[in-house]
Structures are given as C-alpha cells and as structure tokens.
Amino acid sequence: MTINYKEKKIDGEIFFISEINDNIKLPFLLFIPKDVTNSSSLIVDIFSGKKSVDDFNTVINETLNTRTKYISDIVKKLSVENNNPILMPIIPNFKGYYTCFFGSQVRNNDTTILEENILNGVVKIDENDIEKIKNIDFQVLGMIEESKKIINKKNNIVINDKVIMHGYSAGGHFVNGFTALHPELISTEIVGGIDGMAILPFDNINGQKLNYPIGISDIPNFDKTQYSKIRHVFYMGDNDFQNCAEINNGKAKYRTCYTDAEVKLINNIYGNISTHDRMKKINEIYNSNGYNSELIMAAGNHMTVQINQRLADKISINDKKKPFTWKSKSEEIIYNQIKQKNQIIKQQKEQKRQMNKPKVKTLTAPSQGGNVSKGFTNVITLSLIVSFVSGALFMVMYMLLGGK
C-alpha cells in the first residue's frame, strides 16, 4: 500500500487484525510504513460510519470497506511527515448506540435505547453482538498496545510511546473523550467537526458540576499535569453549523449524543451562541488555563472541510504551536489593520489619560544618612510659617481683649 500526500509518498503494508484476545472484540487495520523508525509515532485515526440497522457482520464489513478506501488528507500528511504508522479501529455504530460519539451513554455501557430497538425489530443485532461494542475505550487501548508489539516484532523498532490521535465529527468526540480519560498516552489530539463542543478540563463552573462528556468531574484521578502536556488542535468549517447539543421542545434533539440534562447544562454554560463562538470560547478557556490549544477555522461545511488541503497544510506534528485561527491573505490584511488601529487607539487613550492626570507632589522621607529632600524641607518651612502667623494672631487678640 502507498500513501500519497501531494508530492510526498510512503510505501508500506496494511494488516487486518481481529480476534486477538477477549479484551479486544473489534477488528482493526494497521498500516506500517516500510521506513518506520524509532522516532515515528503511531497515529490513531477514529472514523465514524453511519448509524446502521443491519446485522453486526454487515456493519463491520461496510466500515472496513470504507476504511480501506478512505484516509483523510490530514492523516495522510501526518503519516508521510515522519513515516508514522496508522491504526484504524473498526468501530460500528448502530441506531440507538452511537459508539464512535463516545458520550456518557457509551462510556457507561448503557445500551437501553439499543436494546429497545432490537426488541422492536429496528436493529438486527443480538445480545452477543452488544458485548462486542462495550468498553470501547479499553478496546482501543488494547489495539494501541498490540499495534506497537506488531511493529516491534515485524520491524524490530520501538516507536514513540505516546500516540497522535485524530478524529472527525463523532470520531472527533471519541478522540476528545479518550484523551481526557487517558492523557498519559497522548502527545497530540487533532479533533474536527465537534459542533463547538470539547471537554472542559474542570469539575465545575460557577458551582455547576461538569460530568463527562462536558467536564471531568466523574473521571477518577483526572491527570491535569498530563493533560496540560498534550497539544490540542481543534478545527472547524466556516460553514459548519451542525449542533449535536440542540434542544427540541426542551429535550435533547440527538439522544444518542447527549442526554436531556447534558444539553440543558451545555446551553446554561455557554448561552445562546453559535457553535463557532462556542468553540472559540472553549479554545480561549484552554489557553487561559495553561493548556496548549489551537483552533483552525477553514473553508468548508461539515461534509467538505476535510477535503480542504489548505487545512491539512496548516496541521503539522512538527509545529509546537500555531496561531489561534487560520485566515486567508485578505482576511489577514484586514485583521492586522484592525489590530494596528486598536493599538493606536489604545496608545492615544493612555496618552490622554496621562495628560489629564492631576499632578501631585510626592513628599519623600529623608534617605538614611543623607540630607533632607527638597519636598520634605518645604513642609517644615511651611509648618514654621503657620506657627509664626498663629502666634502673632494670638498676641493681637490678647491685646485687644486686655484693652477692654
């Protein structure tokens, strides 16, 4: 197999791996570049297929077929940059159980809605199949470890311990959730199309408890130190207006993404703002609290932004930090002009404030072993004059009273 990105390409082999052990019930694909080195890092790419009603094997085969044909430009570029291998878990989604979204329902293995759909004949899987999609983050953990072992055995190479994770849409939510739960394993998370929603690394805001997937209150022993070491890259289409936290008649419109209570909390925290503004706000919160976060707004909607090569060009694992947001050249010129004007206005205001500031003479105490300052001397002189005048007035009054 060959992966091409523009003029660059790398050759390698792709392996289909399944039924490794009882803890990894789902299959995965592993691409290993021919020239992989010990400086290479494993890319974990989470792809989300449709929410199916078909039987388990059909859904697995459909997802597998799509995965063998499609790798995003972002992942291709990241792979060719440093001969990085790619792990592609085959994660099926079903109507009533959005596995790839990895919300609280999936994290807690709550299959209530899925079981209702099975009983009603909506979904064609059985109880044994349900067990295969539980504990999904631990299955991916197992896939990561197995991939490292396979690479080591085949190429006699020990790659970097920490991995790069990429996911888009529901896959982006998975990556963001997985990163919060297992930050010690991640060097970089690259997350796109998450509808202006990323996990806040706090247990509460203004007294409001933030449980997963909104915050980290119910994540045992959340490792803030490790989370702060991760590079968080968020990207979003400038015409992407999808909102999985939408309220419909007071309830969650997308029940397999967020619960009613979670949707209400999201809207209480952020208010009635666009998903773009919400994502910008989250990015600002990350940066202001010491987390290495960046937001890239690129041309495209929810379906097209991933094929924007200019977006892929802006994402590199070799860069430590990128600007807050990507802009076109014309936007950059306007942005810099506005920024320059604002700086001039700020300077003018400061100059005006200094000119209108009342001038107050400072009275300074004498320095140790030195002479009395001029300001301090003036005070003593003024005091003597006042005392003399007061004494003279007293004598005049005394003489006048004595004369009567």
Side-chain angles (χ1 to χ4, degrees):
M1 178 178 176
T2 301
I3 289 183
N4 297 283
Y5 183 76
K6 294 189 173 180
E7 71 281 358
K8 295 181 180 179
K9 70 175 183 177
I10 53 173
D11 295 318
E13 294 180 86
I14 191 162
F15 301 89
F16 175 72
I17 299 145
S18 66
E19 299 179 3
I20 288 182
N21 56 52
D22 292 338
N23 296 321
I24 308 174
K25 296 180 172 65
L26 294 174
F28 61 94
L29 291 169
L30 177 62
F31 170 73
I32 305 177
K34 182 179 67 176
D35 297 322
V36 62
T37 70
N38 56 10
S39 65
S40 300
S41 297
L42 182 65
I43 300 170
V44 184
D45 185 29
I46 305 296
F47 174 83
S48 178
K50 66 178 182 179
K51 286 176 276 189
S52 182
V53 297
D54 292 318
D55 65 90
F56 191 84
N57 288 333
T58 299
V59 178
I60 288 290
N61 289 330
E62 285 178 351
T63 308
L64 179 62
N65 186 48
T66 305
R67 285 268 57 187
T68 53
K69 292 179 180 177
Y70 175 75
I71 299 175
S72 72
D73 283 338
I74 291 171
V75 175
K76 287 178 183 177
K77 190 203 175 196
L78 296 177
S79 182
V80 302
E81 272 189 342
N82 200 34
N83 288 297
N84 294 316
I86 308 169
L87 164 61
M88 296 168 270
I90 308 301
I91 303 175
N93 295 313
F94 295 95
K95 192 170 183 179
Y97 198 78
Y98 207 173
T99 326
C100 274
F101 191 88
F102 196 38
S104 58
Q105 175 194 22
V106 174
R107 183 194 172 207
N108 298 325
N109 295 317
D110 181 2
T111 57
T112 305
I113 301 174
L114 178 59
E115 289 172 18
E116 288 175 3
N117 287 340
I118 293 170
L119 287 172
N120 294 328
V122 176
V123 180
K124 300 173 185 177
I125 66 173
D126 58 31
E127 291 181 3
N128 292 328
D129 295 328
I130 290 176
E131 292 302 313
K132 295 176 184 176
I133 54 178
K134 287 184 176 180
N135 303 315
I136 190 64
D137 62 319
F138 291 102
Q139 290 201 54
V140 172
L141 278 175
M143 293 176 191
I144 290 171
E145 292 310 308
E146 287 299 326
S147 295
K148 290 176 182 177
K149 289 178 184 177
I150 293 167
I151 294 167
N152 176 249
K153 186 176 180 179
K154 186 181 180 303
N155 298 76
N156 196 27
I157 288 291
V158 177
I159 61 173
N160 288 327
D161 191 43
K162 293 193 174 185
V163 305
I164 302 160
M165 293 200 75
H166 171 265
Y168 185 76
S169 194
H173 286 279
F174 185 101
V175 168
N176 192 230
F178 186 94
T179 301
L181 290 165
H182 310 284
E184 72 284 355
L185 294 175
I186 318 298
S187 64
T188 303
E189 67 160 334
I190 302 169
V191 173
I194 56 172
D195 309 347
M197 274 304 305
I199 289 176
L200 293 174
F202 312 116
D203 54 15
N204 76 87
I205 283 185
N206 300 325
Q208 297 181 95
K209 193 175 181 180
L210 304 180
N211 282 343
Y212 180 97
I214 301 167
I216 51 86
S217 178
D218 59 344
I219 297 179
N221 304 314
F222 174 74
D223 197 330
K224 183 178 179 181
T225 302
Q226 290 294 335
Y227 200 72
S228 66
K229 293 178 181 178
I230 298 168
R231 181 180 171 212
H232 306 272
V233 181
F234 303 112
Y235 66 92
M236 189 176 188
D238 57 5
N239 280 310
D240 182 358
F241 302 106
Q242 184 166 294
N243 184 10
C244 57
E246 192 174 339
I247 294 178
N248 186 25
N249 295 324
K251 294 185 177 182
K253 185 174 180 179
Y254 305 103
R255 293 173 61 207
T256 52
C257 297
Y258 294 108
T259 65
D260 294 343
E262 287 166 351
V263 165
K264 287 178 183 177
L265 180 58
I266 289 167
N267 286 275
N268 284 340
I269 294 169
Y270 299 106
N272 186 27
I273 60 175
S274 70
T275 54
H276 294 87
D277 288 338
R278 192 163 64 199
M279 195 67 250
K280 289 175 183 177
K281 181 67 177 174
I282 290 172
N283 187 63
E284 289 169 3
I285 291 171
Y286 266 62
N287 281 309
S288 63
N289 284 276
Y291 296 99
N292 181 0
S293 172
E294 57 202 83
L295 172 61
I296 303 173
M297 301 292 287
N301 57 36
H302 196 77
M303 300 301 293
T304 62
V305 69
Q306 276 210 97
I307 60 175
N308 182 345
Q309 277 202 342
R310 294 184 70 185
L311 166 65
D313 288 340
K314 292 289 177 179
I315 298 176
S316 171
I317 55 173
N318 297 323
D319 292 342
K320 292 182 179 179
K321 185 81 175 177
K322 284 189 171 292
F324 166 69
T325 181
W326 174 81
K327 305 174 183 68
S328 65
K329 287 185 178 180
S330 59
E331 287 174 322
E332 193 71 45
I333 292 169
I334 295 170
Y335 171 82
N336 288 329
Q337 287 175 344
I338 293 171
K339 186 178 179 181
Q340 191 175 19
K341 278 186 178 180
N342 287 338
Q343 287 175 340
I344 292 170
I345 291 169
K346 188 176 180 180
Q347 289 172 356
Q348 289 174 342
K349 284 183 178 179
E350 179 60 25
Q351 290 173 354
K352 189 175 181 180
R353 190 181 70 83
Q354 291 293 338
M355 289 176 66
N356 295 333
K357 188 176 179 181
K359 295 180 180 178
V360 179
K361 285 187 177 179
T362 304
L363 304 178
T364 56
S367 59
Q368 190 174 0
N371 295 326
V372 179
S373 69
K374 185 178 179 182
F376 197 71
T377 303
N378 289 342
V379 171
I380 294 172
T381 305
L382 183 63
S383 299
L384 290 172
I385 294 170
V386 171
S387 298
F388 177 81
V389 172
S390 298
L393 287 172
F394 175 79
M395 291 298 296
V396 171
M397 292 297 295
Y398 176 80
M399 289 175 65
L400 289 173
L401 290 172
K404 285 183 178 181

